[in-house]
Amino acid sequence: MANKSNYDTLITKLDQFIRKYYINKLIRGSLYTLGLVLALFLLFNILEYNFYFSTGIRKVLFGGFVITSISALAFWVLTPLTKFFSLGKTISHEQAANIIGEHFTGVEDKLLNVLQLKKQSESASNQALVEASIDQKTESISPVPFKSAIDLSKNRKYLK
């Protein structure tokens, strides 16, 4: 029973990491979208002020502005938002383990090994041995704070 709770705790930590991953993408995407929309708005206003475009060209500029703004909003904001609420295909636990492994040395292999062992435990003949191995590896990586692999304050550089 302790094995199951250790594994469940590990999966809960991975799910929390995945949610923070998408929050990070949402923040970054919001900043990108805001910057793009503001830059286009200023560019089109400066062009119109200096060149006094005809009605047809104004319509094209406005249409381009609206299409670009909606596309940026959909791609950089709405996509991570839907994935945050698990309404689409999200990154798998294995992909999350690879991202975590980039930040914490020695964790990626153990984490991937635990996930692979759990998949094999349903079909293994020595379930007790496999579950003991899962429990041992889970306990060795349980003190690692997965959520700290993503630093939301790094998004401040995108404010510029």
Side-chain angles (χ1 to χ4, degrees):
M1 204 62 170
N3 176 22
K4 198 159 190 124
S5 68
N6 281 340
Y7 181 75
D8 289 340
T9 304
L10 180 73
I11 293 300
T12 302
K13 286 173 69 174
L14 277 173
D15 289 338
Q16 290 172 347
F17 170 80
I18 290 170
R19 289 178 65 88
K20 189 170 181 181
Y21 175 80
Y22 284 117
I23 287 173
N24 187 42
K25 284 188 153 294
L26 180 66
I27 291 170
R28 187 174 299 166
S30 297
L31 293 173
Y32 284 163
T33 302
L34 182 67
L36 179 69
V37 168
L38 184 63
L40 277 177
F41 180 76
L42 290 174
L43 176 70
F44 290 164
N45 276 324
I46 290 170
L47 287 173
E48 171 57 29
Y49 179 78
N50 288 325
F51 296 110
Y52 303 109
F53 294 126
S54 67
T55 306
I57 294 176
R58 286 183 191 169
K59 285 181 184 178
V60 170
L61 288 177
F62 179 72
F65 176 75
V66 169
I67 289 172
T68 304
S69 299
I70 290 173
S71 299
L73 184 70
F75 182 71
W76 283 324
V77 177
L78 294 180
T79 302
L81 189 63
T82 58
K83 290 181 181 184
F84 174 77
F85 290 114
S86 301
L87 296 175
K89 184 178 178 192
T90 61
I91 62 172
S92 66
H93 290 131
E94 288 83 11
Q95 291 169 324
N98 288 331
I99 295 170
I100 291 168
E102 292 174 7
H103 297 282
F104 299 110
T105 57
V107 173
E108 177 184 12
D109 292 336
K110 291 179 184 178
L111 190 53
L112 284 173
N113 198 351
V114 167
L115 295 172
Q116 291 167 352
L117 281 172
K118 186 61 177 177
K119 285 182 183 177
Q120 291 176 355
S121 71
E122 286 103 25
S123 63
S125 58
N126 313 11
Q127 268 191 332
L129 181 62
V130 172
E131 290 186 15
S133 177
I134 290 172
D135 190 38
Q136 179 186 15
K137 290 183 187 314
T138 303
E139 285 181 14
S140 70
I141 60 175
S142 65
V144 177
F146 295 158
K147 286 173 57 175
S148 66
I150 294 180
D151 187 11
L152 295 177
S153 65
K154 287 185 178 180
N155 289 321
R156 289 184 184 160
K157 67 182 177 183
Y158 298 111
L159 284 172
K160 297 176 184 175

